[in-house]
Amino acid sequence: MQTIFEKNNGTNGINLTDNTINTDFISDKFKRTDKIGLPQLSELDVMRHYKALSDMNFCIEKGFYPLGSCTMKYNPKVNEYLANLEDFNIHPEVANEMAQGALKLMYDLSDALLKITGMDALTLQPSAGAHGEMTGMMIIKKYFDTIGEQRKKVIIPDSAHGTNPASAKMAGFDIVEIKSNERGQVDIEELKKVLDKDVAAIMMTNPNTLGLFEEKVEEISKIMHENGSLLYYDGANFNAIMGYTNPKLMGFDVVHLNLHKTFSTPHGGGGPGAGVVAVVDKLRDYLPTPVITFDGTKYKRCYDVKHSIGSVKDFCGNFSVLVRAYAYILMMGKNLKHATENAVLNANYLKEKLKKYYDLPYDEPCMHEFVITGEKQKHENGVSTLNIAKALMDGNTHPPTVYFPLIVHEAIMIEPTESETKEKLDEFVETMIKIAEECKTNPDKILSAPHTTPVKKIDEVTAARHPDLNFKG
């Protein structure tokens, strides 16, 4: 694309000068005296340039996105339309009386999410899943400080999401890791070994990052509560249980939800997100402010929360993301559980199809995602999981999460979501089988992949250590 900036001298798409504007009020020392060096391009050239850049991007509308741990499912476009309605384009500091519609939406969304999770109160403020984790851990810290118990430790399974220990540490806790058992679940005996009166909570994901349901969760809840400790539910995998069970029934006290994973709001790209945090009744007085209340006549933002941890985000959170989630819930209604059904069905279908060609460390029914490995390919043919991921890019597929969870060597975490059809899943299976076969018959092809993408195989170490961030026209 560099040549576009080297041609058409004297060409322009718009006149950027206006001699009628008086600039005498600007000091001469601030005025440019040399040429600005802007590209000399027609409007059509510029449009073609950015369209070409857009075509290089991979997105959910182009192909399969089985990105385990960070679900990239289809976001209905009606959500975008509704979030951009003119009446929702209001200033966040507008008086309650002038924002009744927006406040009602947030109140009703909160009510719906409480019904779905089984919890008693929530905050819409956090702007991401990890932000929700930290908010939840801050609530737990404030709770124990308030009741006079200086508990300092949080237990985290070795299969946890990487942000769990970071969130707990930032909230002021020390981390205690426990190993999984041979079935990839929390080891009860290991839990008992580290449990004492200094433990504030355990952070769990259920199903866990291996895509396996923690069958002993009720026993874990009983053990923790008898110790006076709390249970934190990482809701990143909530899309695997929605409509069938909920964190409250499992005995959890705090839960965060990734609205981008379960409720179809946009994800990635550094844009706004939402990591709603819900709590049981005894923790409602610790929620961030404001909370949305309704007195039977009017909705309002309430700042009178007895032991609030304070605000964790400006105003009430990322409102446009909340609109998208509410629209999705209204559209799905009681059919929300069908999303769960299809996500679990799709994952089990892929697992059974692929386990003949790749190692499957835990050969049990999975939930919404599962983990296979490239261990066999690496040992027999010198082809790593990273090479397999790169080869997938030639098959109109975004690579799944690789090398996570850390407890599985050469891990490939696959999460198909409920959005994909059987035809698309079969295409993915065919691609994965073809890669497995080429690892044996033509490993050099896999080792040199990708071949069809705009950017081919790169030196990732150099790119990470010596990034070139300068534009050169």
Side-chain angles (χ1 to χ4, degrees):
M1 300 303 296
Q2 186 175 1
T3 56
I4 196 170
F5 299 108
E6 299 171 350
K7 66 175 184 176
N8 296 339
N9 189 32
T11 303
N12 64 71
I14 186 171
N15 184 4
L16 297 176
T17 61
D18 187 344
N19 296 327
T20 65
I21 298 176
N22 188 338
T23 59
D24 291 344
F25 67 94
I26 301 176
S27 171
D28 286 342
K29 67 180 180 180
F30 295 122
K31 291 182 181 180
R32 181 181 294 276
T33 56
D34 54 343
K35 289 186 177 181
I36 195 169
L38 290 175
Q40 299 187 47
L41 305 165
S42 70
E43 181 177 329
L44 180 57
D45 278 334
V46 173
M47 293 303 297
R48 284 174 174 164
H49 170 67
Y50 284 106
K51 179 62 170 67
L53 290 179
S54 175
D55 289 343
M56 292 180 186
N57 286 332
F58 188 86
C59 59
I60 194 72
E61 285 82 5
K62 267 191 175 182
F64 190 32
Y65 229 120
L67 195 58
S69 185
C70 294
T71 316
M72 298 293 277
K73 69 181 180 183
Y74 181 67
N75 304 149
K77 293 301 174 274
V78 67
N79 290 3
E80 305 303 311
Y81 169 76
L82 295 171
N84 284 282
L85 288 174
E86 185 177 351
D87 289 343
F88 283 144
N89 186 23
I90 56 176
H91 195 282
E93 287 190 329
V94 71
N96 289 335
E97 292 75 14
M98 300 177 67
Q100 286 297 293
L103 293 174
K104 174 177 169 53
L105 184 147
M106 289 187 283
Y107 183 87
D108 289 346
L109 171 61
S110 300
D111 185 59
L113 292 174
L114 290 175
K115 286 184 172 67
I116 293 169
T117 60
M119 307 303 276
D120 301 310
L122 62 73
T123 175
L124 300 170
Q125 271 196 346
S127 57
H131 193 196
E133 289 174 24
M134 191 179 76
T135 300
M137 298 315 293
M138 289 169 65
I139 289 172
I140 291 173
K141 182 78 163 56
K142 183 73 176 285
Y143 167 75
F144 282 112
D145 288 347
T146 302
I147 65 173
E149 296 185 19
Q150 303 301 312
R151 300 194 180 217
K152 300 176 182 177
K153 294 187 286 190
V154 168
I155 297 172
I156 300 179
D158 60 359
S159 64
H161 285 123
T163 48
N164 284 183
S167 297
K169 190 69 176 178
M170 288 184 70
F173 292 108
D174 295 326
I175 310 305
V176 179
E177 182 182 87
I178 56 173
K179 301 296 182 184
S180 300
N181 60 24
E182 68 281 355
R183 295 185 62 203
Q185 300 181 31
V186 170
D187 191 314
I188 299 291
E189 295 309 312
E190 291 296 314
L191 172 62
K192 290 178 180 178
K193 288 179 186 177
V194 299
L195 188 61
D196 57 32
K197 290 297 182 180
D198 205 20
V199 173
I202 184 172
M203 297 182 81
M204 290 178 62
T205 307
N206 196 21
N208 61 31
T209 52
L210 295 166
L212 303 174
F213 191 84
E214 294 282 355
E215 297 172 358
K216 302 288 186 181
V217 64
E218 289 181 293
E219 183 179 349
I220 294 169
S221 172
K222 185 173 183 293
I223 292 170
M224 296 299 294
H225 284 145
E226 286 178 349
N227 190 60
S229 306
L230 301 178
L231 287 87
Y232 180 90
Y233 183 88
D234 181 326
N237 294 344
F238 184 69
N239 56 313
I241 65 166
M242 177 177 61
Y244 284 89
T245 184
N246 63 54
K248 182 72 172 295
L249 291 173
M250 298 179 201
F252 287 93
D253 302 287
V254 183
V255 54
H256 93 261
L257 296 175
N258 292 348
L259 297 193
H260 62 265
K261 288 202 67 172
T262 309
F263 302 103
S264 83
T265 66
H267 181 223
V276 173
V277 172
V279 297
V280 294
D281 192 59
K282 71 176 181 180
L283 298 176
R284 69 165 64 240
D285 287 341
Y286 299 85
L287 289 171
T289 56
V291 294
I292 312 300
T293 61
F294 181 55
D295 62 9
T297 304
K298 290 185 178 180
Y299 300 89
K300 69 175 183 177
R301 289 160 281 201
C302 175
Y303 293 86
D304 184 19
V305 178
K306 189 175 182 181
H307 301 297
S308 174
I309 61 171
S311 177
V312 296
K313 176 80 172 65
D314 294 338
F315 311 110
C316 298
N318 288 322
F319 179 68
S320 69
V321 177
L322 304 178
V323 175
R324 291 172 171 91
Y326 187 54
Y328 179 75
I329 292 172
L330 287 182
M331 284 188 291
M332 295 292 285
K334 292 182 178 180
N335 291 328
L336 273 171
K337 66 188 301 183
H338 294 337
T340 302
E341 292 171 358
N342 289 329
V344 173
L345 177 63
N346 286 353
N348 278 279
Y349 179 74
L350 290 182
K351 174 177 68 70
E352 291 302 310
K353 289 285 188 179
L354 294 177
K355 71 179 186 180
K356 303 171 189 175
Y357 304 92
Y358 297 87
D359 287 339
L360 181 66
Y362 301 96
D363 191 2
E364 299 191 24
C366 66
M367 298 297 287
H368 65 303
E369 67 187 3
F370 64 99
V371 176
I372 56 176
T373 87
E375 191 84 354
K376 176 165 54 178
Q377 283 75 16
K378 185 173 183 179
H379 176 71
E380 295 178 358
N381 313 110
V383 178
S384 69
T385 282
L386 181 61
N387 299 137
I388 294 169
K390 296 292 186 184
L392 264 175
M393 296 168 69
D394 285 329
N396 198 30
T397 299
H398 191 288
T401 300
V402 294
Y403 298 109
F404 183 82
L406 300 177
I407 60 175
V408 177
H409 295 294
E410 296 295 315
I412 305 173
M413 178 192 283
I414 298 173
E415 182 173 0
T417 81
E418 76 278 9
S419 303
E420 301 298 339
T421 64
K422 181 177 179 297
E423 290 76 15
K424 181 56 68 175
L425 298 182
D426 287 337
E427 285 180 25
F428 176 67
V429 169
E430 290 173 10
T431 301
M432 289 292 286
I433 292 174
K434 183 179 179 182
I435 291 173
E437 291 172 346
E438 288 181 333
C439 285
K440 298 176 182 177
T441 60
N442 189 9
D444 287 343
K445 181 179 179 182
I446 307 301
L447 291 169
S448 59
H451 306 102
T452 62
T453 54
V455 177
K456 305 302 184 290
K457 195 174 185 69
I458 62 172
D459 181 346
E460 296 186 0
V461 174
T462 301
R465 293 181 179 176
H466 305 287
D468 182 0
L469 306 178
N470 295 317
F471 167 78
K472 294 175 181 151

